[in-house]
């Protein structure tokens, strides 16, 4: 079974890389999708992510203490932006009825439904 790791670089990159390395060791590199850097140039980002999610059976959503409140360069909350990578990944997983496992890191707490956009509220 392939695993998709969803994470925010500014929130949980080191921990996510560690888990990715352990999963690769256990189930093989071809069975772990880890980073948007693996997306080829010139492809439709949202479509590509949906395709990668479709190949997986489970998504790990890595959540550090700042996951839900992470802000973009304008000071806007990322999760409220429909173009946010993490939001796109999770919405794609919901659309495919993937098993989604939140992984709470470094004392993070699970966000409540009111902390999430409507399209992500099932996550809580």
């Amino acid at each position: 079974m392939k695993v998709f790791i969803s994470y925010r670089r500014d929130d949980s990159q080191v921990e996510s890389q560690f888990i990715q390395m352990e999963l690769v060791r256990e189930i093989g590199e071809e069975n772990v999708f880890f980073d948007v850097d693996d997306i080829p140039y010139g492809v439709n980002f949202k479509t590509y992510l949906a395709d990668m999610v479709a190949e997986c059976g489970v998504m790990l959503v890595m959540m550090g203490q700042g996951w839900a409140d992470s802000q973009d360069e304008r000071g806007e909350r990322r999760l409220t932006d429909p173009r946010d990578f993490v939001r796109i990944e999770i919405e794609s997983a919901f659309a495919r009825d993937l098993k989604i496992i939140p992984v709470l890191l470094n004392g993070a707490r699970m966000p409540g439904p009111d902390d999430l956009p409507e399209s992500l509220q099932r996550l809580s």
Side-chain angles (χ1 to χ4, degrees), residues 23-111:
L23 283 171
V24 165
R25 189 172 60 76
E26 291 294 322
I27 64 175
E29 187 171 3
E30 67 281 359
N31 292 314
V32 180
F33 182 86
F34 178 64
D35 210 325
V36 296
D37 287 342
D38 294 336
I39 297 174
Y41 295 111
V43 300
N44 179 298
F45 182 79
K46 195 169 184 174
T47 301
Y48 187 84
L49 278 178
D51 291 346
M52 292 300 99
V53 167
E55 291 182 13
C56 296
V58 66
M59 175 181 283
L60 301 180
V61 179
M62 312 300 288
M63 297 180 180
Q65 292 182 350
W67 181 86
D69 297 318
S70 180
Q71 297 180 351
D72 64 18
E73 61 280 348
R74 296 168 296 167
E76 303 283 330
R77 207 165 143 239
R78 288 183 172 159
L79 283 179
T80 61
D81 183 352
R83 298 166 298 171
D84 175 56
F85 302 149
V86 168
R87 180 174 172 165
I88 291 169
E89 293 166 355
I90 297 168
E91 288 173 342
S92 294
F94 282 142
R96 303 277 186 187
D97 204 27
L98 237 66
K99 185 178 295 182
I100 300 174
I101 302 172
V103 180
L104 304 176
L105 303 165
N106 303 318
R109 295 178 187 258
M110 190 67 198

